[in-house]
Amino acid sequence: MSLITPDFGLFFWMTVVFLVVLFILWKFGFPVIVKMVEERKAYIDDSLRKAHEANERLANIQKEGESILQEAREKQAQILREAAETRDAIVEKAQDKARSEGARLLDEAKAAIEQEKKAAIADIRQQVAMLSVEIAEKVLKQNLKDDKSQMDLIDRMLDEVSVK
């Protein structure tokens, strides 16, 4: 016998065994394998569908996130505008208050200056009156050293009083 060409009996039994194994696999093995392959295919299809849904959800979430971010930016800009308006109003109010306070202080200063001026004028008048009296006293003392000059002065004053 040769190793390369098998004997007819060996060939026959090999064919019978092959057909029996093929029949057993066809009856019991292939359905299980096909079922497992189909389950795996269904699992993969389901996973792909879920991945696609997840991608869609992610895209929706990104769109929502962008819209929320845009809304937040708009609110931030609105808050900044309101803050600037409030700041301007406060500054304007403070400037008005400062102007009115400055005007009030200026009026008070003018009144105080006027009062000081009147007091100074009154003081100067009093001093001038005192000086005038002192000068008149000195002049009269000098003019009225003797009795004759005193009598002449009294007569003149009486004449002036009687004329009026």
Side-chain angles (χ1 to χ4, degrees):
M1 262 208 235
S2 122
L3 291 175
I4 297 181
T5 54
D7 206 9
F8 179 73
L10 180 65
F11 184 70
F12 173 76
W13 287 113
M14 282 177 60
T15 305
V16 171
V17 170
F18 175 75
L19 291 176
V20 170
V21 171
L22 182 64
F23 176 74
I24 292 173
L25 284 177
W26 193 275
K27 193 73 171 161
F28 301 107
F30 288 148
V32 172
I33 292 172
V34 168
K35 182 180 173 190
M36 286 176 43
V37 168
E38 286 177 357
E39 287 176 358
R40 180 71 178 165
K41 181 182 180 281
Y43 175 76
I44 291 172
D45 289 342
D46 188 45
S47 296
L48 287 174
R49 184 182 49 79
K50 286 181 181 178
H52 182 68
E53 289 174 2
N55 281 337
E56 288 178 358
R57 281 191 216 146
L58 180 61
N60 288 337
I61 289 172
Q62 285 176 341
K63 287 179 183 176
E64 288 176 14
E66 289 174 5
S67 67
I68 290 171
L69 185 60
Q70 181 63 28
E71 184 179 328
R73 286 182 185 142
E74 290 172 1
K75 283 186 180 183
Q76 178 187 17
Q78 180 183 0
I79 289 170
L80 288 175
R81 280 192 303 273
E82 289 174 359
E85 290 171 1
T86 303
R87 180 199 65 216
D88 292 343
I90 290 171
V91 167
E92 184 65 31
K93 189 176 181 181
Q95 286 176 345
D96 289 343
K97 187 175 180 180
R99 284 187 200 110
S100 64
E101 185 68 20
R104 184 186 64 81
L105 290 175
L106 186 62
D107 290 343
E108 287 178 1
K110 285 180 181 179
I113 289 170
E114 187 64 31
Q115 187 176 2
E116 289 290 327
K117 180 180 169 186
K118 288 179 181 179
I121 289 174
D123 188 41
I124 290 172
R125 284 185 180 165
Q126 183 182 3
Q127 288 178 5
V128 167
M130 299 259 309
L131 283 175
S132 297
V133 168
E134 287 178 11
I135 291 172
E137 184 181 329
K138 287 183 181 180
V139 168
L140 285 177
K141 279 185 182 178
Q142 195 175 28
N143 287 338
L144 301 176
K145 286 183 190 175
D146 57 357
D147 287 336
K148 181 176 178 341
S149 59
Q150 287 179 8
M151 289 309 280
D152 287 340
L153 181 62
I154 291 172
D155 287 337
R156 270 188 304 192
M157 290 179 100
L158 286 175
D159 287 339
E160 286 178 10
V161 172
S162 61
V163 171
K164 288 184 185 180

